């Protein structure tokens, strides 16, 4: 399953069977006022864009969301925070969880994998930023644990990330994953000289399945190849950031 486009704005929504009050919004690179390499809906305040443009873009997104969005200061860690405790802040973390319906969880990306979570009953939601380091280090496992519901009750949505035809990695990345499980070897295609093409979607699915999460959706896009739709750090080096956002709307 892919993304559902928003008819009124350049956004997508996760295509998954979540409860109706679990809301998602996935931004593209379009719909904002940033210029140059950040054109146009850059939401990253750490990439060199003009702060007033980033703030305008964030307000554009916020207008579509019923709870304040908590943007993390992502550091490729395995740290998970509770958004309700950080409204108006940018905590150092790479995943966020909420069961209060008072704040929206967000993961900013430009090739890394954003993963959105909810439980079948719609009591808790989460968003995780999973670059390869965080993915290998346990960010998804920590997010699932922080949700505090049985993994069998959890569904996950894999947002837009670098696709398997574009993600060239070295031996270090291969070793980091394959040392944990021989199963992960299937997510790497050797291309010679100690290089591989890695499937970050497959790596995430294997991790989630090992944790007991079987309801997994998304994982169909490539931020590198879909240049008109998504920012890509690997493609452009200096570029903007998208956000994958999830919240509980209990109104």
């Amino acid at each position: 399953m892919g993304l559902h486009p928003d008819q009124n704005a350049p956004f997508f929504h996760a295509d998954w069977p979540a409860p109706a009050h679990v809301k998602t919004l996935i931004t593209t690179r379009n719909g904002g006022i940033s210029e140059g390499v950040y054109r146009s809906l850059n939401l990253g305040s750490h990439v060199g864009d003009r702060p007033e443009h980033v703030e305008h873009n964030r307000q554009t997104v916020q207008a579509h969301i019923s709870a304040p969005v908590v943007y993390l200061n992502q550091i490729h860690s395995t740290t998970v925070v509770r958004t309700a405790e950080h409204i108006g802040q940018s905590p150092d973390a790479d995943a966020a969880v909420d069961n209060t319906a008072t704040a929206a969880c967000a993961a900013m990306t430009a090739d890394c994998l954003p993963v959105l979570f909810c439980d079948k009953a719609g009591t808790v939601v989460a968003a995780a930023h999973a670059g390869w380091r965080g993915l290998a280090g346990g960010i998804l496992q920590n997010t699932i644990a922080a949700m505090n519901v049985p993994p069998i009750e959890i569904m996950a949505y894999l947002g837009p990330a670098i696709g398997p035809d574009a993600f060239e990695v070295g031996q270090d990345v291969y070793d980091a994953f394959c040392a944990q499980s021989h199963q992960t070897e299937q997510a790497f295609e050797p291309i010679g000289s100690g290089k591989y093409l890695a499937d970050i979607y497959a790596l995430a699915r294997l991790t989630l399945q090992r944790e007991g999460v079987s309801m997994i959706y998304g994982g169909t896009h490539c931020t590198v190849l879909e240049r008109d739709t998504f920012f890509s750090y690997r493609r452009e080096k200096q570029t903007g950031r998208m956000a994958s956002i999830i919240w509980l709307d209990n109104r």
Side-chain angles (χ1 to χ4, degrees):
M1 295 186 181
L3 299 168
H4 276 159
D6 188 313
Q7 301 304 315
N8 302 311
F11 306 135
F12 292 107
H13 305 285
D15 185 5
W16 61 347
H21 64 281
V22 173
K23 306 294 186 182
T24 63
L25 187 147
I26 298 168
T27 70
T28 66
R29 68 176 304 155
N30 303 309
I33 64 167
S34 291
E35 301 169 341
V37 295
Y38 309 108
R39 184 178 57 84
S40 69
L41 191 65
N42 167 46
L43 301 174
S45 61
H46 62 294
V47 295
D49 194 5
R50 291 168 60 179
E52 63 270 24
H53 285 176
V54 177
E55 181 58 28
H56 181 281
N57 292 341
R58 289 186 175 187
Q59 289 302 321
T60 297
V61 171
Q62 185 65 67
H64 295 263
I65 298 172
S66 60
V69 180
V70 174
Y71 292 96
L72 306 175
N73 180 36
Q74 298 171 178
I75 52 176
H76 292 275
S77 69
T78 57
T79 301
V80 185
V81 295
R82 300 197 171 275
T83 51
E85 300 171 5
H86 296 280
I87 295 173
Q89 306 169 6
S90 295
D92 292 349
D94 285 87
V97 175
D98 182 63
N99 62 359
T100 68
T102 61
C105 304
M108 277 192 296
T109 57
D111 285 338
C112 289
L113 174 64
V115 184
L116 302 179
F117 296 89
C118 73
D119 66 324
K120 286 196 293 189
T123 67
V124 60
V125 295
H129 161 249
W132 77 261
R133 288 180 182 84
L135 193 54
I139 187 63
L140 299 188
Q141 294 94 319
N142 289 359
T143 305
I144 290 166
M147 292 176 71
N148 200 31
V149 293
I152 194 67
E153 297 292 318
I154 293 174
M155 62 183 75
Y157 183 84
L158 310 182
I162 187 169
D165 295 328
F167 192 21
E168 182 180 316
V169 301
Q171 192 68 41
D172 57 333
V173 178
Y174 178 89
D175 291 344
F177 285 99
C178 295
Q180 300 177 18
S181 167
H182 289 303
Q183 260 193 318
T184 55
E185 293 175 6
Q186 64 190 270
F188 293 90
E189 179 186 338
I191 55 175
S193 303
K195 300 288 186 181
Y196 301 83
L197 288 176
D199 186 342
I200 200 167
Y201 292 128
L203 291 166
R205 288 188 188 100
L206 288 166
T207 300
L208 292 166
Q209 288 163 355
R210 283 201 304 270
E211 292 301 301
V213 176
S214 60
M215 296 179 287
I216 307 169
Y217 306 89
T220 60
H221 289 271
C222 179
T223 47
V224 177
L225 300 181
E226 296 174 58
R227 61 176 58 243
D228 293 332
T229 306
F230 302 116
F231 293 116
S232 168
Y233 178 80
R234 183 162 289 219
R235 185 182 65 230
E236 297 165 336
K237 297 304 180 192
Q238 192 173 10
T239 191
R241 297 293 186 273
M242 290 101 48
S244 296
I245 304 169
I246 189 167
W247 71 100
L248 293 168
D249 188 347
N250 293 339
R251 295 175 300 173

